[in-house]
Amino acid sequence: MTQTNSPVAAFPVSSRDRVRVFDTTLRDGEQAPGFSMTRAQKLRIAHALAELGVDVIEAGFPQASDGDFASVQAIARELRGASVCALARCQRGDIETAARALEPAARGRIHVFIATSPLHREHKLGMSREQVIDAAVAAVRRARELCADVEFSAEDAMRTEPDYLAEVFAAVIEAGAATLNVPDTVGYTTPAEMHERISYLRGNVLGIERAVLSVHCHDDLGMAVANSLAAVSAGARQVECTLTGIGERAGNAALEEVAMALKTRAELFGVDTGLRTPKLYPAARLLAQITGHAIARNKAVVGENAFAHESGIHQHGMLKHRGTYEIMRPEDVGFARSQLVLGKHSGRHALRERLAALGHTPDEAALDQIFTRFKTLADKKREVFDSDLEALALGRDAEALGPWRIVHLHAASHLGGSASASVRLQHEDGGLASEAAIGDGPVDATLRAIGRAVGQDFELVDFNIRALSEGGDAQGQATLGVRHAGRELRGRGVSTDIVEAAALAALEIANRIERSKTDAAAPAAANHA
């Protein structure tokens, strides 16, 4: 990590109308049940966020596990453009581990936190007001010795005494913190209270002109985005958020909603995020594909219904003038306005151009794989729509490859009777495994056969199928949730055949289990090399 003399050199403050976007999808978002990601999947999200133009990507909590350390380190090594941030408690070991994980970063940030509210001081920390300040100052000083850019968060800040919070912030500014974060940790605050608190801090924190005020709002009462906007209007110049608002409990402020509110109401807020907003929808779709959690159709900004109009009155108004019922242009958030149809005679150039229009810019190797699958799909379907192309672009997952692949799959069922399935799998070492099974339906039988073939016991806890494109020959995405060795794992598969999609999802899980066994055999210390 490049050291500098100034604690704010990584982000020179050129004007007060620039709001930094701090994305914590890979840290706070990933902590939510059902949203865990592999290292390769985190890298894909990190690259999508960098393309979107976020300022800071909080990549994880390195002290939490060897896996988190390795993910943060991998993102720090590969990512350029955005600053890569690592979370740490106000403990020396956490901070030093975070610094090691960030060593490969072109621009790194250590984010230290400690609770400051009376409730947390008494019941969680067992510390006095003075002890909390001493711990915060010591942590910031140590972090500044190891990293040029340090952020400090006062956990549960909105339930902390305002005068004490101002005292804590003044102390950590003096110690070298360049960003001061005000979390609404439990989503309890209202917009009026948030505006009042940020205004108070701007007027009462000694040295506040040397730091950036930030907010991190949770959505327990459904006000995370509103509170974030209230903070910006009061002078906060960093917003911490996640794609589609994922996160602990009810989630966080949704990045796309904050971004488009500030852009659409620019005359009111007078600020700019610098985000490339046409990348919002592709990034949200990528997250949905990776986690297996579909975006709600009525989700603001990136939901399928965000720019759909069915009411006759609305359609009539839209035909007369788009502004009657649309306050944003679909293309401004990455929705393609046309449904250009490609077919089996379309070439690589047409495919590349259409993918670019949809917000996907794969490298040559990735394009080769997408083009091969596009040709296969075009042979199955008469027409390939934009939604099909997005499914192809989002379906590539390097970590979903091997060691097993499906060579043969056959499933059959009889009305009122049981179903049967047979599979033949090939291992990357050349070995073959064939099994057959019966089940309650073709999907159940296929899962049982795959489990037998790879020697793994799957306990199915969730199964979901949804269409990714249009028509009777549409592609479908199957999402499986299974319990294996006390862990819940999710897999995804995409195909025009539902049973095949389920089989691919099961195979992704089987491959992940096998890879994890291989990884566990390697010394954990290798992650810290």
Side-chain angles (χ1 to χ4, degrees):
M1 228 173 358
T2 304
Q3 273 280 16
T4 61
N5 293 325
S6 168
V8 292
F11 291 104
V13 181
S14 57
S15 64
R16 297 184 64 229
D17 62 356
R18 177 76 159 84
V19 172
R20 300 172 189 169
V21 177
F22 178 112
D23 182 272
T24 184
T25 301
L26 299 177
R27 202 276 302 167
D28 193 312
E30 204 247 354
Q31 288 178 188
F35 285 90
S36 61
M37 293 176 246
T38 66
R39 190 188 317 171
Q41 290 169 339
K42 288 181 181 180
L43 275 167
R44 291 177 65 194
I45 294 292
H47 282 295
L49 291 169
E51 290 178 8
L52 176 59
V54 304
D55 296 287
V56 185
I57 296 172
E58 190 167 49
F61 183 8
Q63 186 71 7
S65 68
D66 287 338
D68 239 28
F69 181 99
S71 294
V72 174
Q73 189 178 59
I75 293 169
R77 183 180 297 113
E78 285 197 21
L79 213 64
R80 295 296 178 265
S83 180
V84 180
C85 179
L87 185 69
R89 293 167 295 188
C90 285
Q91 297 177 11
R92 193 177 185 90
D94 278 29
I95 294 165
E96 292 172 353
T97 300
R100 287 198 304 275
L102 291 173
E103 281 177 0
R107 289 194 296 167
R109 172 183 291 191
I110 295 178
H111 180 190
V112 297
F113 73 96
I114 193 170
T116 55
S117 69
L119 193 63
H120 281 243
R121 293 195 310 262
E122 179 182 353
H123 296 287
K124 187 176 82 170
L125 300 178
M127 296 170 67
S128 67
R129 288 164 59 126
E130 293 74 19
Q131 287 174 319
V132 168
I133 291 179
D134 289 344
V137 168
V140 171
R141 283 178 178 162
R142 181 55 181 152
R144 272 294 284 127
E145 290 171 357
L146 301 170
C147 183
D149 188 8
V150 176
E151 174 173 341
F152 172 79
S153 278
E155 185 184 6
D156 206 23
M158 293 305 297
R159 295 193 295 177
T160 299
E161 308 93 319
D163 60 337
Y164 177 60
L165 185 61
E167 184 182 351
V168 174
F169 278 173
V172 296
I173 289 173
E174 189 62 29
T179 304
L180 308 177
N181 188 43
V182 182
D184 180 21
T185 303
V186 292
Y188 181 73
T189 303
T190 66
E193 291 170 320
M194 177 61 77
H195 191 284
E196 181 181 10
R197 180 61 58 92
I198 297 300
S199 298
Y200 175 86
L201 293 171
R202 291 185 68 203
N204 291 275
V205 174
L206 188 64
I208 192 64
E209 69 282 354
R210 308 202 309 267
V212 172
L213 269 176
S214 168
V215 288
H216 182 139
C217 300
H218 279 264
D219 208 33
D220 297 70
L221 293 177
M223 292 184 282
V225 171
N227 284 331
S228 299
L229 297 174
V232 169
S233 68
R237 286 300 176 261
Q238 176 177 284
V239 174
E240 303 195 356
C241 46
T242 60
L243 286 172
T244 68
I246 68 170
E248 292 273 19
R249 302 184 312 280
N252 292 277
L255 183 157
E256 66 280 356
E257 295 179 26
V258 173
M260 292 311 296
L262 294 177
K263 181 174 183 174
T264 306
R265 300 305 309 274
E267 83 292 345
L268 176 64
F269 292 102
V271 298
D272 178 49
T273 63
L275 291 176
R276 293 181 279 275
T277 59
K279 301 286 187 181
L280 286 170
Y281 179 63
R285 282 291 297 269
L286 175 63
L287 178 68
Q289 186 271 331
I290 283 175
T291 62
H293 291 274
I295 303 170
R297 295 188 67 89
N298 66 331
K299 173 74 178 65
V301 182
V302 295
E304 293 294 334
N305 288 356
F307 298 98
H309 305 274
E310 187 168 335
S311 161
I313 295 175
H314 285 212
Q315 289 178 347
H316 179 74
M318 283 292 294
L319 290 172
K320 295 289 186 180
H321 191 285
R322 288 176 59 179
T324 52
Y325 289 102
E326 279 189 359
I327 60 171
M328 299 173 283
R329 300 187 309 164
E331 54 267 34
D332 285 344
V333 302
F335 276 97
R337 292 197 62 193
S338 68
Q339 282 288 308
L340 181 65
V341 179
L342 298 179
K344 64 181 180 180
H345 300 298
S346 302
R348 278 172 57 91
H349 180 73
L351 178 63
R352 185 198 296 275
E353 291 296 311
R354 195 63 205 145
L355 287 172
L358 294 171
H360 301 283
T361 54
D363 58 28
E364 287 300 320
L367 183 64
D368 286 343
Q369 293 189 22
I370 294 172
F371 185 67
T372 299
R373 287 164 42 226
F374 162 73
K375 284 295 189 180
T376 302
L377 179 64
D379 283 336
K380 295 180 181 179
K381 300 188 63 173
R382 295 183 303 275
E383 301 172 329
V384 179
F385 291 92
D386 286 350
S387 49
D388 293 306
L389 297 180
E390 286 194 321
L392 291 175
L394 297 174
R396 179 178 177 268
D397 185 350
E399 190 155 306
L401 302 175
W404 292 103
R405 67 183 183 89
I406 297 175
V407 177
H408 168 80
L409 168 64
H410 176 75
S413 63
H414 305 282
L415 186 64
S418 61
S420 62
S422 61
V423 296
R424 183 181 301 118
L425 308 180
Q426 184 171 31
H427 197 273
E428 61 187 9
D429 63 11
L432 293 172
S434 298
E435 279 290 348
I438 59 173
D440 294 331
V443 170
D444 181 49
T446 299
L447 298 185
R448 290 173 185 267
I450 290 175
R452 289 179 182 176
V454 298
Q456 296 169 5
D457 183 28
F458 298 144
E459 179 190 349
L460 186 65
V461 295
D462 183 39
F463 175 61
N464 181 270
I465 191 81
R466 68 185 185 95
L468 293 179
S469 53
E470 304 170 356
D473 52 3
Q475 291 192 93
Q477 175 177 281
T479 303
L480 295 179
V482 305
R483 188 171 289 111
H484 174 79
R487 295 172 57 213
E488 187 171 321
L489 301 170
R490 301 183 75 83
R492 290 152 293 280
V494 177
S495 175
T496 54
D497 182 275
I498 291 174
V499 177
E500 183 181 349
L504 292 171
L507 196 67
E508 180 183 325
I509 295 172
N511 283 331
R512 188 176 302 167
I513 292 170
E514 181 145 338
R515 284 193 302 271
S516 67
K517 291 178 180 177
T518 303
D519 292 343
N527 286 334
H528 299 271

